[in-house]
């Protein structure tokens, strides 16, 4: 029945659905998960890496986390090549704003601008939607620390905690139970790692399979975005009792 | 012979503009308000080509309002000033606006500020500034009497001194001036200084 309404993004089905947008979200449901948690003194992003190999050059590239501007970063879930295009678009939009106003772009405006781009692909042009969901983490002087989630439809929302990618519903429900409003950044890291360890399929949790990034204010008041090093991440995993002994694979 | 000048005081900024609308040797009217309210806490005093002056300041005013509607928060004075400068700069090598602007504003976090933006998109953040032939006299008076942290009374006194100099020393001096102020309560008209009264014209 829906076969007739699948192939073009720009038509509704008789039931009022946009199948291409939904299929894009399906694609993301198979991708590595990411979790974001908003705390009093920062935003925490944790991602599950699907590409793990000793041969991967981990020092220079990240798979899940990207810096958009000095005060905004994002975690991605979905088709990586699509994500790269959108990340570049977001970076250009942020710089264009700063060029016009000589101030950092407010986080929500950046998210909204990117989502307006994504919406265009669901309404005209005949091109498929982007198969990416984002978790945006940032700070601005109007609303402090913020976390936003967006999906291929171009919808976005501000969240205290959110999950995208594989098993995101399970992760979201655990977050709902365990999140408290006055959580600190360290507690947020612990919660994020705990939730990810429960929802990830893999048998052992090591720093190879994870990426952790935090957005916070340095003592001088500048916004900092830091990706946790693998050694520090390993220590955290042990400290929070979340790592399981890794079975040696050939 | 348009005169526009302004200064920053203790928790406020004042801008003054002459109010003659002149075409060659004819004075159309002597009560033309050249200081526009950009938003609740910003003033833009403009001088230059009359058509450009109104067109450009209204364009900036509407864009500032649009930003507020779209994003739920107002632009800071610095952001508005940089936006204004950007528009002048973009138009400069195609279709320049012959308009000089003094942009004054009050922000809760940073207090009062004044921006000098000339028609070729030079921008400076200043404590005192002026445009036009009157600037020769008003800048000199302000250089002599200005100090930071002036009260409103002291600032108005200085403004009156400047107007006196312009009236007595500039060959085709404009007779009337309007004074507007912006502080934490907002932007509003402070006073007129009239030496020639026009019949009141209803606003368009």
């Amino acid at each position: 029945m829906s076969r007739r309404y699948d192939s073009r993004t720009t038509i509704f089905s008789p039931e009022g659905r946009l199948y291409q947008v939904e299929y894009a979200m399906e694609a993301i449901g198979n991708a590595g998960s990411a979790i974001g948690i908003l705390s009093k003194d920062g935003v925490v992003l944790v991602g599950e890496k699907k590409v793990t190999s000793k041969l991967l050059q981990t020092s220079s590239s990240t798979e899940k986390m990207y810096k958009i501007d000095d005060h905004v970063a994002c975690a991605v879930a979905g088709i990586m090549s699509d994500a790269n295009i959108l990340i570049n678009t977001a970076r250009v939009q942020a710089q264009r704003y700063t060029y016009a106003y000589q101030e950092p772009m407010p986080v929500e405006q950046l998210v909204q601008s990117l989502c307006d781009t994504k919406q265009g692909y669901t309404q005209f042009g005949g091109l498929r939607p982007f198969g990416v969901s984002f978790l945006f983490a940032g700070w601005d002087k109007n609303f402090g620390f913020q976390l936003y989630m967006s999906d291929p439809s171009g919808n976005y929302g501000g969240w205290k905690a959110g999950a995208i990618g594989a098993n995101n519903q399970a992760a979201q429900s655990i977050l709902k139970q365990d999140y408290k409003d006055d959580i600190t950044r360290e507690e947020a890291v612990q919660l994020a790692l705990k939730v990810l360890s429960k929802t990830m399929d893999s048998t052992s949790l090591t720093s190879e399979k994870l990426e952790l990034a935090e957005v916070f204010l340095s003592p001088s008041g500048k916004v900092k975005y830091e990706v946790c090093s693998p050694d520090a991440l390993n220590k955290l995993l042990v400290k929070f009792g979340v790592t399981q002994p890794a079975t040696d694979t050939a | 012979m348009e005169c526009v000048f302004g200064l920053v005081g203790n928790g406020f900024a004042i801008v003054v503009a002459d109010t003659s609308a002149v075409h060659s040797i004819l004075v159309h009217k002597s009560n033309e308000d050249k200081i526009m309210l950009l938003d609740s806490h910003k003033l833009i005093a403009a001088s230059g080509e009359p058509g450009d002056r109104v067109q450009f300041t209204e364009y900036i005013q509407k864009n500032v309002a649009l930003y507020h509607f779209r994003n739920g928060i107002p632009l800071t004075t610095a952001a508005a000033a940089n936006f204004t400068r950007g528009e002048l700069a973009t138009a400069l090598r195609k279709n320049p606006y012959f308009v000089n602007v003094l942009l004054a504003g009050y922000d809760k976090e940073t207090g009062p500020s004044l921006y000098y933006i000339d028609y070729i998109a030079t921008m400076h953040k200043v404590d005192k500034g002026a445009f036009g032939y009157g600037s020769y006299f008003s800048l000199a008076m302000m250089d002599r009497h200005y100090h930071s942290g002036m009260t409103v009374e002291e600032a108005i006194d200085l403004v009156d001194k400047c107007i006196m100099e312009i009236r007595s020393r500039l060959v085709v001096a404009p007779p009337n001036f309007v004074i507007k102020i912006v502080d934490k309560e907002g932007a509003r008209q402070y006073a007129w200084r009239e030496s020639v009264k026009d019949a009141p014209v209803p606003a368009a």
Side-chain angles (χ1 to χ4, degrees):
Chain A
M1 180 56 191
S2 60
R3 271 312 126 80
R4 285 194 230 155
Y5 308 100
D6 288 17
S7 48
R8 307 235 292 264
T9 54
T10 51
I11 47 176
F12 281 108
S13 76
E15 304 95 54
R17 294 157 71 174
L18 290 170
Y19 279 111
Q20 283 301 306
V21 177
E22 289 183 23
Y23 296 162
M25 305 211 224
E26 267 301 303
I28 297 165
N30 300 325
S33 35
I35 292 181
I37 301 186
L38 180 68
S39 78
K40 281 192 309 194
D41 52 336
V43 193
V44 172
L45 294 171
V46 184
E48 170 197 358
K49 290 206 276 200
K50 282 285 188 162
V51 185
T52 53
S53 160
K54 270 200 307 193
L55 296 173
L56 195 64
Q57 179 78 292
T58 47
S59 58
S60 51
S61 64
T62 54
E63 188 184 305
K64 305 289 286 183
M65 314 288 175
Y66 295 91
K67 191 173 177 185
I68 306 290
D69 196 354
D70 287 330
H71 63 299
V72 183
C74 69
V76 308
I79 303 176
M80 281 315 305
S81 43
D82 284 8
N84 281 331
I85 302 292
L86 284 173
I87 287 166
N88 188 54
T89 305
R91 286 174 174 157
V92 171
Q93 283 162 352
Q95 291 311 309
R96 201 172 276 150
Y97 184 98
T98 306
Y99 179 60
Y101 298 103
Q102 299 297 316
E103 280 181 357
M105 189 170 192
V107 186
E108 182 167 357
Q109 286 181 40
L110 178 60
V111 176
Q112 188 158 33
S113 174
L114 193 67
C115 286
D116 285 348
T117 306
K118 290 205 264 189
Q119 187 276 346
Y121 287 79
T122 71
Q123 195 174 23
F124 51 82
L127 304 170
R128 67 163 174 83
F130 290 96
V132 200
S133 278
F134 284 101
L135 280 168
F136 288 98
W139 183 95
D140 62 45
K141 63 175 169 35
N142 306 302
F143 297 111
F145 289 108
Q146 297 149 73
L147 176 69
Y148 295 94
M149 225 169 25
S150 80
D151 63 28
S153 67
N155 253 334
Y156 74 90
W159 292 81
K160 297 178 188 175
I164 51 176
N167 296 325
N168 65 341
Q169 275 147 326
Q172 197 91 25
S173 55
I174 304 177
L175 285 169
K176 198 154 100 164
Q177 280 178 320
D178 294 348
Y179 179 84
K180 351 187 271 289
D181 276 331
D182 53 356
I183 195 172
T184 66
R185 186 155 49 97
E186 217 197 300
E187 290 170 338
V189 171
Q190 184 175 10
L191 178 58
L193 290 173
K194 184 181 102 174
V195 172
L196 209 56
S197 73
K198 287 197 177 152
T199 59
M200 264 167 74
D201 307 318
S202 50
T203 46
S204 71
L205 209 61
T206 61
S207 66
E208 274 180 7
K209 299 201 177 115
L210 293 178
E211 255 172 39
L212 166 67
E214 296 171 74
V215 177
F216 57 97
L217 290 181
S218 73
S220 59
K222 277 188 70 176
V223 188
K224 294 209 77 94
Y225 160 75
E226 261 172 25
V227 182
C228 202
S229 71
D231 296 323
L233 187 51
N234 263 324
K235 291 205 180 77
L236 282 174
L237 289 171
V238 168
K239 178 173 159 191
F240 295 139
V242 150
T243 190
Q244 291 138 326
T247 47
D248 272 17
T249 45
Chain B
M1 308 283 182
E2 289 188 315
C3 305
V4 173
F5 62 95
L7 58 119
V8 175
N10 187 14
F12 66 93
I14 280 185
V15 280
V16 185
D18 78 284
T19 57
S20 355
V22 167
H23 184 105
S24 170
I25 56 167
L26 172 70
V27 177
H28 280 298
K29 60 195 289 221
S30 321
N31 57 358
E32 167 87 356
D33 188 350
K34 299 178 191 170
I35 307 181
M36 190 178 272
L37 255 62
L38 216 51
D39 72 15
S40 64
H41 285 73
K42 291 180 193 47
L43 290 168
I44 189 163
S47 73
E49 189 71 48
D52 281 355
R53 173 170 55 77
V54 176
Q55 182 80 341
F56 184 70
T57 52
E58 278 187 4
Y59 174 68
I60 299 298
Q61 187 190 54
K62 296 330 175 203
N63 269 285
V64 169
L66 181 59
Y67 184 99
H68 200 343
F69 283 120
R70 272 191 179 141
N71 301 308
I73 46 171
L75 278 169
T76 59
T77 308
N82 275 293
F83 172 72
T84 304
R85 193 211 76 82
E87 291 303 305
L88 286 168
T90 309
L92 181 62
R93 290 175 199 275
K94 287 194 174 129
N95 224 339
Y97 293 103
F98 287 102
V99 189
N100 299 309
V101 151
L102 277 180
L103 203 156
Y106 184 91
D107 304 298
K108 218 157 49 119
E109 304 85 12
T110 48
S113 51
L114 182 65
Y115 289 86
Y116 169 107
I117 308 171
D118 75 11
Y119 74 104
I120 40 177
T122 311
M123 187 173 83
H124 296 296
K125 182 173 187 299
V126 292
D127 287 331
K128 48 181 158 34
F131 284 110
Y133 284 117
S135 71
Y136 290 110
F137 306 103
S138 50
L139 276 176
M141 286 313 275
M142 289 195 285
D143 282 346
R144 171 69 183 83
H145 294 292
Y146 177 91
H147 57 88
S148 65
M150 291 171 88
T151 64
V152 180
E153 291 73 28
E154 288 174 321
I156 293 297
D157 195 53
L158 177 49
V159 163
D160 282 329
K161 283 194 169 73
C162 294
I163 292 176
M164 193 91 84
E165 277 304 296
I166 292 170
R167 274 189 182 145
S168 57
R169 290 297 184 185
L170 185 57
V171 62
V172 197
N176 301 336
F177 291 82
V178 68
I179 305 172
K180 296 201 181 177
I181 187 172
V182 61
D183 60 19
K184 72 175 192 327
E185 310 298 323
R188 58 194 179 280
Q189 184 177 291
Y190 182 88
W192 282 73
R193 297 285 187 251
E194 287 170 306
S195 56
V196 163
K197 262 209 158 29
D198 248 6
V201 178

